């Protein structure tokens, strides 16, 4: 995946996710770090697309915060934070979705869709907040039209 294919808001969210992981003493940037960063962004389409897809944003934020607190902390590290395999898989899936849609850039909405399609804990968190894949896809399509 090429970083220059990420939208500027997604690049910023990834930087914020890294800061969240670092601040929480986590050794890996996980999908939940990115989800929280996306939910905290102002003036983006994430909240709107989630609401349109029927998700309860407040419930999603609370569930993501709970999941974040359950991640193991490291101590005595050199503040070296790496992308987890789960996050790498999500970003690769978002890249593939972008290519299938013939999009020039990888957008944050497609990362949400990739998270929902993943078989990790983040998918369950999104589902528990009311997200369904086909409905999220439709909300993304409606937003883009």
């Amino acid at each position: 995946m090429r970083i220059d294919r990420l939208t500027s808001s997604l690049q910023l969210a990834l930087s914020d996710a890294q800061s969240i992981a670092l601040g929480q003493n986590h050794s890996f940037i996980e999908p939940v770090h990115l989800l929280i960063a996306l939910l905290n962004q102002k003036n983006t389409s994430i909240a709107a697309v989630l609401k349109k897809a029927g998700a309860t944003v407040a419930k999603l934020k609370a569930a993501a915060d709970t999941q974040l607190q359950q991640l193991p902390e490291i101590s005595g590290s050199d503040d070296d934070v790496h992308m987890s395999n789960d996050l790498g898989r999500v970003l690769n899936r978002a890249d593939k979705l972008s290519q299938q849609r013939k999009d020039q850039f990888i957008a944050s909405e497609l990362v949400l869709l990739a998270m929902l399609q993943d078989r990790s804990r983040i998918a369950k968190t999104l589902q528990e907040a009311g997200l369904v894949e086909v409905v999220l896809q439709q909300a993304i399509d409606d937003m883009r039209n």
Side-chain angles (χ1 to χ4, degrees):
M1 176 188 60
R2 291 179 26 203
I3 298 297
D4 63 336
R5 289 202 58 235
L6 304 177
T7 61
S8 58
S9 64
L10 183 52
Q11 288 179 34
L12 180 60
L14 280 168
S15 293
D16 290 345
Q18 180 180 8
S19 292
I20 293 167
L22 188 62
Q24 295 286 321
N25 294 318
H26 297 151
S27 57
F28 292 99
I29 308 166
E30 299 287 349
V32 70
H33 294 111
L34 181 55
L35 177 60
I36 290 169
L38 289 170
L39 292 172
N40 288 336
Q41 282 186 325
K42 305 293 185 220
N43 302 321
T44 66
S45 59
I46 292 300
V49 77
L50 285 170
K51 288 177 186 174
K52 188 165 186 67
T56 307
V57 177
K59 184 177 180 179
L60 182 55
K61 282 183 179 183
D65 285 338
T66 298
Q67 187 177 340
L68 181 72
Q69 298 309 317
Q70 294 172 348
L71 292 174
E73 291 185 24
I74 56 168
S75 60
S77 77
D78 57 0
D79 294 330
D80 200 16
V81 179
H82 303 281
M83 183 184 307
S84 72
N85 288 338
D86 288 344
L87 182 56
R89 188 175 54 248
V90 164
L91 293 174
N92 286 338
R93 179 70 184 147
D95 189 358
K96 187 173 183 179
L97 290 168
S98 175
Q99 291 177 38
Q100 289 171 349
R101 291 171 173 258
K102 298 184 182 359
D103 289 346
Q104 184 178 0
F105 295 100
I106 302 168
S108 300
E109 306 86 50
L110 294 183
V111 171
L112 285 177
L113 186 57
M115 286 179 181
L116 189 58
Q117 292 176 347
D118 198 48
R119 291 186 180 98
S120 67
R121 188 168 177 201
I122 200 67
K124 185 177 179 184
T125 300
L126 291 168
Q127 291 164 354
E128 289 173 352
L131 278 180
V132 177
E133 183 179 339
V134 68
V135 178
L136 179 58
Q137 286 178 346
Q138 186 61 52
I140 292 169
D141 291 342
D142 289 350
M143 183 194 70
R144 290 179 172 201
N145 290 335

